[in-house]
Amino acid sequence: MMPPSKSTIAPVPALLSLAMRPLPLLPLQPALFFLLDRVVRRHPGLFARLGPHADKRFGIDPTDLPFAFVLEPRRLRPRLAAVRTLPDDLDVRISGPLGGLMGLIDGELDGDALFFSRDLQVEGDFEAVVALRNAIDDSQIDLIGEIRSLFGPLGRPVEEVLRNGLRRLRPVDPAGFGV
Amino acid sequence: MELVCPAGTPAALRVAVEAGADAVYCGFNDETNARNFPGLNFNREELTAGIALAHRRGVKVLVAINTFPRAGAIDLWRRAVDDAVRAGADALILADVGLLDYARRTHPGQRLHVSVQAAAANADSIRFYVETFGVKRVVLPRVLSVPEIAAVTAESGCETEVFVFGGLCVMAEGRCSLSSYATGRSPNMQGACSPASHVNYREERGRMVSRLGEFTINSFAKDEPAAYPTLCKGRFETSQGVGYIFEDPTSLDAATMLPALKEAGVTALKIEGRQRGRAYIESVVQSFRQALTDLDAGLPIETARLAGLTEGQTTTVGAYRKTWR
């Protein structure tokens, strides 16, 4: 038996997660549409790396939030939708704490390391997961920066709140994971 | 000693250069290299741009074309050699003797390295590559002890490069057929050990079960570190009980062996992990750059705090300090 896995990624505070539970998801959809549209337009190289996997359906489940996302990163009309629970007909399910998933997107955390530490769980088409991970890592997507742009003049305080919040979720020493 | 760092994407190459690499190694996005993973590697334009960027920073780029060409498809590998030379590669890392011969005859001025995939592990073998193809460096398999490395380096008269961090393949590389047995695909021919197309992870009765093709490789309890689903690091049930019968899922970390490797006459230190993300590259390269700085200053080398990045979240110095038979 190997030693227990070492994770220091903090979950979103339970109270905050609970407070988000009754919020309707519908108002999120236009924001997600614009967010994905911006990311795809600014990082067209994503598709070359995704190859045939761009047509797959990815379920992304931040385990410390009361909702999840379905990502269809296809070239024509890509789609990102918030859902209460992930549907069954997905090609891939990726789940983990929000801090880990965001760290993967912005390149602060290593996907394999999150998987080894059991912070990240993956089920389904593993080839599609690897392609998505590599495409995102090469694209250097600044998701918080993109979210900021959605808020116009209020963007800067929103960005600050989000970056501070995420910093609290991250391990202090990502390489050592507290070793 | 030269620090040779991995890059699976242009972004990772930039990170490796910034983090203190002396050289970066990478490959084309096809079956000509042993990390042919989905979404990974460089197209021709990306490689040319990456080499130009690295050269502006005084960093070399070594291009791995280290799979064995398929019969009837040799042109794919020869084109890779030609295009890497044209892009300005500082060295080609090759394994196949036919391809080494092609590279020597077609590009006589090009520096050639022997890949770990060639499994050249003794002085006679290395001298053959030096005398026949004029190779300048050999990447040694991860199965030699430090005294053996010192002997091979002295006897062969060739530069040696050894792995110091990352995935620990304990097989005779280039000759291992375990992945091929399980999936029909191998790092030697198609460029992927335990290819993602054949990997499956699933929750079953509270445990995470990993499968490769039709083989169950492992089953992890809730809080147990996970590992890649490679046959050589699988946990199997035998008449002796359940356990890792070939090798534990652990990673190489030879930071503490750097003084001994320097003493052994090693020219270059290689970090494994072209398939890993920017975060891994940055942490590991910075850590080994610091270790080399400390070594040159005569300071003690601290154990790198990198276990969180490793398979199984444990590390070993592997065969470098061989205490087993």
Side-chain angles (χ1 to χ4, degrees):
Chain A
M1 178 75 73
M2 289 186 289
S5 62
K6 295 155 182 148
S7 165
T8 55
I9 296 176
V12 169
L15 269 178
L16 183 59
S17 184
L18 205 65
M20 282 192 273
R21 198 177 291 268
L23 297 179
L25 297 182
L26 203 60
L28 254 185
Q29 305 301 350
L32 293 175
F33 172 82
F34 286 116
L35 185 62
L36 184 62
D37 184 60
R38 275 187 71 90
V39 169
V40 163
R41 276 193 288 114
R42 288 163 71 96
H43 303 280
L46 272 168
F47 293 108
R49 292 200 176 271
L50 276 168
H53 305 293
D55 293 326
K56 304 271 170 72
R57 296 182 79 216
F58 298 82
I60 300 165
D61 181 10
T63 48
D64 45 0
L65 291 184
F67 50 86
F69 301 94
V70 174
L71 170 66
E72 297 171 72
R74 55 201 178 208
R75 269 181 198 272
L76 288 176
R77 300 175 66 187
R79 185 167 168 267
L80 178 63
V83 292
R84 289 285 174 208
T85 53
L86 288 175
D88 291 330
D89 59 341
L90 296 165
D91 295 291
V92 174
R93 284 165 180 264
I94 304 168
S95 51
L98 180 69
L101 295 171
M102 290 297 288
L104 262 180
I105 294 171
D106 63 24
E108 288 286 315
L109 299 175
D110 178 77
D112 289 27
L114 289 173
F115 181 73
F116 296 147
S117 66
R118 308 293 296 277
D119 283 299
L120 196 69
Q121 283 91 42
V122 174
E123 281 195 71
D125 184 337
F126 206 67
E127 201 171 31
V129 175
V130 173
L132 181 65
R133 190 276 310 265
N134 289 332
I136 287 174
D137 198 67
D138 185 52
S139 295
Q140 297 181 276
I141 298 166
D142 177 9
L143 198 59
I144 302 290
E146 301 295 354
I147 292 171
R148 168 191 165 165
S149 68
L150 296 179
F151 284 83
L154 293 175
R156 190 174 286 276
V158 169
E159 179 184 20
E160 214 158 286
V161 168
L162 289 175
R163 287 200 195 281
N164 283 337
L166 276 177
R167 210 168 291 133
R168 288 168 193 269
L169 304 180
R170 297 278 169 79
V172 178
D173 174 15
F177 270 22
V179 173
Chain B
M1 292 182 285
E2 184 179 297
L3 189 58
V4 182
C5 306
T9 62
L13 182 144
R14 289 191 290 274
V15 167
V17 167
E18 291 290 330
D22 294 310
V24 175
Y25 67 104
C26 51
F28 288 121
N29 52 357
D30 56 31
E31 61 196 291
T32 62
N33 79 93
R35 285 288 183 271
N36 179 24
F37 293 3
L40 203 69
N41 293 319
F42 293 65
N43 63 29
R44 268 52 180 174
E45 294 74 30
E46 287 169 341
L47 184 72
T48 304
I51 290 175
L53 180 144
H55 285 177
R56 283 197 296 276
R57 302 290 305 271
V59 175
K60 294 176 197 153
V61 177
L62 321 178
V63 180
I65 307 169
N66 57 348
T67 48
F68 295 88
R70 267 183 293 118
I74 186 77
D75 282 350
L76 179 65
W77 278 262
R78 288 182 174 172
R79 246 195 337 269
V81 167
D82 296 339
D83 291 346
V85 172
R86 196 173 302 122
D90 295 280
L92 308 184
I93 309 170
L94 308 175
D96 180 72
V97 288
L99 207 58
L100 278 157
D101 179 59
Y102 173 79
R104 170 54 55 227
R105 286 187 291 104
T106 314
H107 306 286
Q110 179 64 49
R111 184 180 172 91
L112 304 179
H113 293 180
V114 178
S115 168
V116 68
Q117 284 283 98
N122 60 67
D124 285 350
S125 169
I126 296 167
R127 269 200 298 267
F128 167 78
Y129 288 106
V130 172
E131 290 164 8
T132 313
F133 308 114
V135 304
K136 301 291 186 210
R137 182 183 298 176
V138 60
V139 185
L140 294 176
R142 284 162 269 200
V143 294
L144 301 175
S145 65
V146 172
E148 287 168 336
I149 290 169
V152 163
T153 303
E155 287 173 34
S156 67
C158 180
E159 290 180 8
T160 51
E161 180 173 309
V162 300
F163 284 90
V164 288
F165 192 87
L168 182 60
C169 179
V170 294
M171 298 298 171
E173 288 177 69
R175 294 167 197 169
C176 175
S177 294
L178 284 176
S179 174
S180 190
Y181 178 73
T183 69
R185 300 171 68 81
S186 75
N188 316 328
M189 304 298 289
Q190 289 81 23
C193 176
S194 310
S197 54
H198 290 70
V199 169
N200 183 267
Y201 289 92
R202 189 185 296 249
E203 286 291 323
E204 290 181 13
R205 294 191 294 274
R207 296 179 71 90
M208 184 178 73
V209 176
S210 63
R211 289 199 174 81
L212 180 66
E214 294 177 2
F215 294 85
T216 299
I217 302 295
N218 212 332
S219 158
F220 303 95
K222 191 173 177 295
D223 293 321
E224 201 176 6
Y228 294 126
T230 50
L231 268 174
C232 60
K233 293 179 183 174
R235 186 157 41 179
F236 302 106
E237 191 175 341
T238 70
S239 57
Q240 307 294 311
V242 175
Y244 294 102
I245 59 174
F246 298 115
E247 166 71 2
D248 287 12
T250 181
S251 297
L252 178 69
D253 183 354
T256 56
M257 305 299 291
L258 295 186
L261 292 170
K262 186 179 183 182
E263 186 74 17
V266 165
T267 298
L269 307 171
K270 186 167 212 153
I271 293 167
E272 185 276 345
R274 280 193 283 143
Q275 75 282 14
R276 303 293 295 267
R278 286 180 283 132
Y280 167 95
I281 307 275
E282 184 174 36
S283 294
V284 179
V285 175
Q286 281 178 351
S287 175
F288 274 87
R289 170 52 58 206
Q290 184 60 49
L292 284 174
T293 302
D294 291 346
L295 180 68
D296 289 342
L299 298 171
I301 307 291
E302 286 187 30
T303 307
R305 292 164 51 86
L306 299 170
L309 292 169
T310 63
E311 183 179 17
Q313 301 200 303
T314 58
T315 61
T316 172
V317 293
Y320 292 146
R321 189 186 293 134
K322 202 179 275 183
T323 55
W324 35 267
R325 290 171 64 87

